[in-house]
Amino acid sequence: MVEVTVTPQSSLADRPVQIRVRGLSPSQLVTLRAWVKDEQGECFQSRAFFRADGAGEVDPGIHAALGGSYSGVWPMGLFWFLQPDTLFRRLVKRDVAGSPFRVRLEVLDGLCLGADPREQPLASCEAERWYVGPGVQRVPIREGRVRGALFLPP
């Protein structure tokens, strides 16, 4: 049975995570796809193609992506190379304290280039990416023409 995991499953957006896929056949070609919807419902996604090692595992921190949104060894590549489905959109988090981005990770058999809704993932999981840590207080700043926010640690 194929399994994909993200460790830790919930983390701050600037912290690295480890992605691991287990249960593949040795040398199996797979596509790892990450996607997230922003607060306006726009979809951003990335994908990378990998060949499983002799144990049937893929670790983007060790194994080089063969192509897709990037190539080479990029442990956080699936997060860093998220691209919008609609041109000229940016992935921006407006409600930084209230909710995380929930990034969906999927393992697809073979090389999958499109976003065909009929593609059934072999395995999937979800990673929470928070922008404010627990107990951090956000104080809005308005002074003359200056606008901003002060984030105070607990």
Side-chain angles (χ1 to χ4, degrees):
M1 183 168 133
V2 178
E3 175 188 35
V4 60
T5 58
V6 172
T7 309
Q9 184 269 332
S10 182
S11 64
L12 290 173
D14 63 346
R15 298 287 187 236
V17 295
Q18 182 181 36
I19 301 167
R20 303 275 315 262
V21 181
R22 295 183 179 98
L24 300 168
S25 300
S27 299
Q28 182 178 354
L29 278 173
V30 294
T31 300
L32 285 180
R33 178 171 62 192
W35 61 272
V36 63
K37 287 194 177 186
D38 70 5
E39 293 157 330
Q40 283 74 44
E42 289 290 329
C43 189
F44 294 76
Q45 61 181 312
S46 63
R47 66 187 67 239
F49 313 129
F50 291 93
R51 184 176 298 280
D53 64 14
E57 296 185 358
V58 170
D59 180 345
I62 298 171
H63 303 112
L66 306 174
S69 301
Y70 66 95
S71 59
V73 178
W74 292 81
M76 295 293 295
L78 289 169
F79 293 91
W80 291 342
F81 291 98
L82 287 165
Q83 295 294 315
D85 285 353
T86 305
L87 291 177
F88 308 114
R89 300 289 294 196
R90 289 187 326 148
L91 185 59
V92 176
K93 185 70 171 144
R94 303 243 185 253
D95 180 17
V96 295
S99 64
F101 270 142
R102 288 182 168 78
V103 182
R104 187 89 177 151
L105 296 164
E106 298 174 338
V107 181
L108 302 157
D109 190 28
L111 304 178
C112 299
L113 299 174
D116 186 351
R118 294 172 296 174
E119 293 174 343
Q120 288 298 315
L122 300 173
S124 63
C125 70
E126 194 171 82
E128 289 184 349
R129 305 293 281 170
W130 290 89
Y131 284 79
V132 175
V136 172
Q137 179 184 5
R138 181 181 187 273
V139 180
I141 305 294
R142 297 184 136 226
E143 187 66 38
R145 296 186 326 180
V146 175
R147 302 290 182 267
L150 173 64
F151 292 87
L152 298 171

